[in-house]
Amino acid sequence: MAILYIIAGILHFVKPRMYESIMPPYIPAHRAMVLLSGFAESALGIGLLFSPTRVWSAWGIVLLLIAIFPANIYMATSQKFHRIPSWLLWARLPLQAVLIAWALRYT
């Protein structure tokens, strides 16, 4: 799990435009939010590697997954992502619950 979040966080810095494109229009400062969430994902992933920070990092990941859920809803409901199969966009929504359950195993 740690590797997943560390890599995902790094990708926010490598491909910020991709992450900006999935942000709902009502969220301000897209670039800043992408970089902030990328930093958070990486830091929380690193935190999972160490016993003293593991529980706090897992709770942080749960909160982060809840915070980014509107982007997944936006992707599923917006016509902007018509090149991605609709079923895949909708499948991402329950995947958030699976990721939250996985993170909760570390609490």
Side-chain angles (χ1 to χ4, degrees), residues 6-75:
I6 293 168
I7 291 171
I10 292 169
L11 286 174
H12 283 69
F13 296 95
V14 175
K15 300 270 187 189
R17 285 191 180 121
M18 178 184 73
Y19 290 96
E20 288 171 16
S21 73
I22 68 173
M23 293 189 69
Y26 62 83
I27 295 177
H30 285 185
R31 177 62 59 104
M33 293 296 189
V34 166
L35 298 178
L36 180 62
S37 63
F39 174 77
E41 281 190 60
S42 295
L44 293 168
I46 291 167
L48 286 176
L49 297 172
F50 304 100
S51 296
T53 56
R54 187 168 294 133
V55 171
W56 288 105
S57 292
W59 280 113
I61 288 170
V62 169
L63 294 174
L64 182 66
L65 289 168
I66 292 167
I68 65 170
F69 193 67
N72 293 341
I73 293 172
Y74 176 66
M75 285 188 74

